[in-house]
Amino acid sequence: MYYWNDLAEVPAGIGPTVVTIGNFDGVHLGHQHVLDRLVKVARAKDAAAVAISFDPHPAQIHRPEAAPELIMGPQDRREALAATGLDGLLMMHYDLQLASLTPEEFVRRVFVDGLHVCAVVIGHDVRFGRGNAGDLQTMRDLGAQLGFEVQAVEDFGALPDGSDAGGRRCSSTWIREALRSGDVRTAARLLGRTHRMRGEVVHGAARGRELGFPTANLAPESTGLIPADGIYAGWMVDAAGTRWPAAISVGSNPTFDGVSRQVEAHVIDRPDEKITDFNLYGQQVVVEFVERLRGMVAYTGPAALIEQMRLDVARTRDVLSTDSSADR
């Protein structure tokens, strides 16, 4: 997949293209539904399939105090979009100058002059242009005027298990709600994959090591929405791409009067369990959340905590033994 940070980086000879537009936070099943149609239409027209997105999220510019937490960071969004079969991704810098373009100015400049569009594939709820004045009908009118086809994609309702999601549309809002409540199973169903965080492993208080359960602590600036406090079964992927089963702690460690919120992963069942130089410091790792085991609890002392951690590791092992993502 070609990746462009600015319209000026798009090759002059590109085209024809089939284009879609969106924030794509999470690249969830609803997004994938639109992108799958985009790629199919592009292949049928012998054109390039191109998605347009924005960084930062428009809400961070217009109403930063109410901007949503992002489900995924830029690297994971880019990788997830590439996995859909796109030929190109144009990640436009979003600022007030871009936001000031009318719907027609935006479509002419980006779709027509920049990408030489022959077709647009969008959802029924699309909004674009100054003040979000443009909608599906606006795009259809501009298509008729400027010479490109417009295909609207119905909302994605059914989930992989065949359920209809209770009539609720698959959305980034729903995924955020699930993660904030610790329901990483529902989040995974909507995403089509396990939720993940990505960040550098940094030094912590080393309490886990002292208790016999050393952890890899993610840096505070790690990307990906932090789920609700608690203990999770999941995976940690190291810089070499090895996926390790892990018991993951999210919270401030109330047993030791913790203050700052941390995400830390204890790798279990390593072949070299007795070797103490399993050094991940400074590595960029990915932590994947499969299932929430319990909430965060303050214990009476280290002995009670150690016993609970042993139980958590055993439950993690059981959960991951049947996890469908284990063979990825």
Side-chain angles (χ1 to χ4, degrees), residues 169-182:
R169 65 189 293 269
C170 182
S171 68
S172 300
T173 298
W174 189 1
I175 294 167
R176 293 187 191 101
E177 290 174 4
L179 292 174
R180 289 181 187 125
S181 69

Side-chain angles (χ1 to χ4, degrees), residues 47-187:
V50 177
I52 301 169
S53 195
F54 306 99
D55 185 42
H57 191 290
Q60 294 175 327
I61 299 299
H62 295 296
R63 48 185 192 284
E65 73 289 345
E69 294 180 86
L70 296 182
I71 296 167
M72 57 173 30
Q75 180 175 344
D76 289 300
R77 178 168 55 159
R78 179 173 170 176
E79 290 181 1
L81 286 168
T84 67
L86 286 173
D87 298 304
L89 171 61
L90 172 58
M91 187 64 67
M92 302 190 73
H93 176 67
Y94 193 87
D95 55 19
L96 293 177
Q97 181 177 359
L98 182 64
S100 70
L101 298 178
T102 66
E104 181 175 348
E105 289 171 337
F106 179 80
V107 169
R108 279 185 180 274
R109 181 178 301 182
V110 181
F111 287 28
V112 179
D113 297 339
L115 295 171
H116 307 291
V117 65
C118 68
V120 173
V121 176
I122 48 177
H124 283 266
D125 62 346
V126 67
R127 307 295 298 196
F128 62 99
R130 185 167 62 213
N132 273 339
D135 58 13
L136 175 58
Q137 188 57 52
T138 309
M139 190 70 78
R140 284 175 168 155
D141 293 342
L142 290 171
Q145 176 186 342
L146 300 173
F148 58 83
E149 176 187 351
V150 176
Q151 293 193 24
V153 182
E154 297 293 333
D155 284 345
F156 183 83
L159 296 177
D161 61 5
S163 67
D164 65 358
R168 185 174 184 181
R169 65 189 293 269
C170 182
S171 68
S172 300
T173 298
W174 189 1
I175 294 167
R176 293 187 191 101
E177 290 174 4
L179 292 174
R180 289 181 187 125
S181 69
D183 187 1
V184 294
R185 286 285 190 189
T186 291

Side-chain angles (χ1 to χ4, degrees), residues 240-269:
T242 304
R243 298 179 80 236
W244 302 95
I248 305 161
S249 172
V250 177
S252 56
N253 202 334
T255 301
F256 295 99
D257 296 321
V259 177
S260 60
R261 200 158 179 248
Q262 295 180 321
V263 177
E264 45 191 322
H266 168 64
V267 172
I268 66 174
D269 297 337

Side-chain angles (χ1 to χ4, degrees), residues 7-50:
L7 190 60
E9 296 179 3
V10 178
I14 194 173
T17 64
V18 179
V19 172
T20 193
I21 184 172
N23 292 309
F24 302 114
D25 184 27
V27 194
H28 55 63
L29 293 179
H31 296 142
Q32 294 170 41
H33 181 55
V34 174
L35 294 165
D36 181 63
R37 171 76 71 82
L38 174 79
V39 171
K40 288 178 179 176
V41 172
R43 299 294 176 265
K45 294 180 176 294
D46 194 23
V50 177

Side-chain angles (χ1 to χ4, degrees), residues 205-214 306:
R207 288 199 181 98
R209 184 174 298 278
E210 293 169 1
L211 297 172
F213 297 87
I306 289 171

